[in-house]
Amino acid sequence: AKSAGRSQIRYFNNEMRKKLKQQADIENDLQNGIKNGEFELYYQPIFTLARPRVVSFESLVRWHHPKNGLVTPDDFIPIAEQTGQIIELDLHLLELAAKQVAQWQSIGISDISLTVNVSSRHFASLEFVDQIANLYRAYDLHQGALSLEITESGLIENLNLATKVIHGLSPFGVKLYLDDFGTGYSALGYLHQLPIHILKIDKSFIQQLTDQDNPLVDAILSLAKSLDLEVVAEGIETAKQFQTLSGKACQYGQGFLISHPLQADQALAFLQSEQVK
Ligand code: C2E
Ligand code: CA
Ligand code: CA
Ligand code: CA
């Protein structure tokens, strides 16, 4: 039994060493990745449900890792949050998004906006308003060109600072999307205190809209209505889900049924093909 215990300890030590090594590698790789421009934003259409028409795109990051190929965010965002690199990464991605809208603006597409996912740790920081203001100035962005998606847990933990930040952002027309709504805190008291604009119903709720209604979706929609908030349903994959939602008071949708996240040139083509329809 003693030797089994010892070999277990050895096993744990090895595992731990491997984990630490992996983490250190990713930390290192993230740093280089930012420097070497290995991150690319993809853009997924957000559309009106009444008449499927794109109103904005959500920017979603992909990492062209030199050794591991195309890496999706769930494999590195949580680590970047742990190491604190998320702030630098967020800033880098905000700048990529700003550049993209500016480029679209330069070819006459001025009514489209991008939503950018931002870690709440970064959002609820004193520098954040200045950083956004700098981007609007540097890229001469139109009002509302960039909007932000944040999850509710981070907002609630930093309610005072978050409220200040949201007010500071309002001159730029930055809209605030509350991401993954319904999956985090159930305390709703903060909702009418915060100047939030849009709720995004988490895709786990939308995916349950198969043969029957999901009462939670109805509850979120009526809550939003009474608080005068707009709603995006994310993760719409089937025509059935689309129909169910458009029969309700849900303004916007997003999901593979209409489009996967697209590279910038494809996103532009998507917009242009829609304009000739
Ligand atoms: P999220 O913000 O909730 O993003 C929605 C995720 O759902 C995206 O995964 C998107 O590709 C996926 N999706 C969209 N439509 C459908 C659908 O119809 N069905 C299904 N099954 N999935 C759909 P993705 O791109 O892998 O991103 C995962 C998460 O990583 C995001 O969740 C977000 O929390 C984070 N993330 C992505 N990009 C960024 C970024 O630029 N910055 C930060 N801080 N986080 C990001
Ligand atoms: Ca999001
Ligand atoms: Ca989401
Ligand atoms: Ca999510």
Side-chain angles (χ1 to χ4, degrees):
K2 220 175 198 174
S3 82
R6 220 174 293 139
S7 80
Q8 233 169 27
I9 290 173
R10 202 176 312 129
Y11 172 78
F12 280 128
N13 280 342
N14 283 338
E15 283 300 290
M16 217 183 279
R17 212 170 296 128
K18 232 196 298 175
K19 273 240 170 69
L20 286 174
K21 166 98 171 55
Q22 259 171 13
Q23 174 127 351
D25 281 350
I26 296 190
E27 198 170 342
N28 215 357
D29 289 1
L30 273 168
Q31 205 62 45
N32 289 327
I34 294 174
K35 207 172 66 205
N36 300 335
E38 291 165 8
F39 295 95
E40 181 183 7
L41 290 178
Y42 277 52
Y43 304 96
Q44 187 178 34
I46 299 176
F47 47 85
T48 50
L49 284 171
R51 185 167 79 105
R53 199 162 185 91
V54 181
V55 289
S56 57
F57 290 96
E58 176 178 8
S59 61
L60 294 158
V61 65
R62 303 290 180 259
W63 184 2
H64 298 278
H65 191 282
K67 285 198 290 277
N68 306 339
L70 196 68
V71 185
T72 49
D74 287 333
D75 289 333
F76 61 89
I77 294 285
I79 295 173
E81 274 171 351
Q82 275 168 36
T83 64
Q85 288 168 301
I86 191 67
I87 294 187
E88 197 183 342
L89 183 60
D90 270 354
L91 270 177
H92 177 61
L93 300 175
L94 275 164
E95 177 145 26
L96 291 185
K99 271 188 192 152
Q100 188 57 67
V101 206
Q103 201 238 318
W104 284 338
Q105 257 176 220
S106 77
I107 57 168
I109 298 171
S110 55
D111 53 351
I112 211 77
S113 73
L114 290 180
T115 73
V116 183
N117 291 284
V118 173
S119 145
S120 52
R121 175 162 165 188
H122 182 201
F123 179 83
S125 67
L126 289 169
E127 301 81 16
F128 192 74
V129 175
D130 283 341
Q131 290 166 347
I132 297 291
N134 287 340
L135 284 176
Y136 266 81
R137 218 172 297 127
Y139 292 96
D140 198 17
L141 301 179
H142 62 84
Q143 276 245 334
L146 294 180
S147 293
L148 302 167
E149 298 199 4
I150 334 197
T151 55
E152 54 186 328
S153 52
L155 284 187
I156 293 169
E157 284 157 21
N158 306 285
L159 203 57
N160 286 336
L161 201 45
T163 307
K164 284 197 189 114
V165 171
I166 299 174
H167 285 300
L169 292 173
S170 73
F172 306 99
V174 173
K175 284 193 179 157
L176 213 74
Y177 290 65
L178 203 50
D179 208 353
D180 300 349
F181 189 76
T183 62
Y185 282 64
S186 47
L188 296 171
Y190 71 94
L191 262 187
H192 68 258
Q193 286 175 41
L194 278 179
I196 292 160
H197 307 90
I198 298 167
L199 300 181
K200 293 191 85 169
I201 307 184
D202 192 68
K203 56 177 178 285
S204 58
F205 298 113
I206 304 308
Q207 263 136 34
Q208 294 163 18
L209 290 175
T210 44
D211 296 322
Q212 56 190 35
D213 273 2
N214 181 339
L216 282 173
V217 170
D218 290 336
I220 293 174
L221 288 171
S222 79
L223 176 73
K225 195 169 177 207
S226 65
L227 292 173
D228 212 9
L229 300 170
E230 296 190 299
V231 179
V232 181
E234 63 174 31
I236 301 177
E237 293 181 353
T238 68
K240 170 83 188 159
Q241 290 160 355
F242 184 101
Q243 279 157 13
T244 305
L245 286 161
S246 59
K248 301 177 187 286
C250 184
Q251 292 89 353
Y252 306 106
Q254 184 180 354
F256 295 166
L257 176 70
I258 298 287
S259 171
H260 279 75
L262 304 168
Q263 285 177 293
D265 53 344
Q266 293 175 302
L268 181 61
F270 190 98
L271 263 184
Q272 287 167 335
S273 77
E274 189 180 59
Q275 277 157 4
V276 298
K277 264 184 227 159

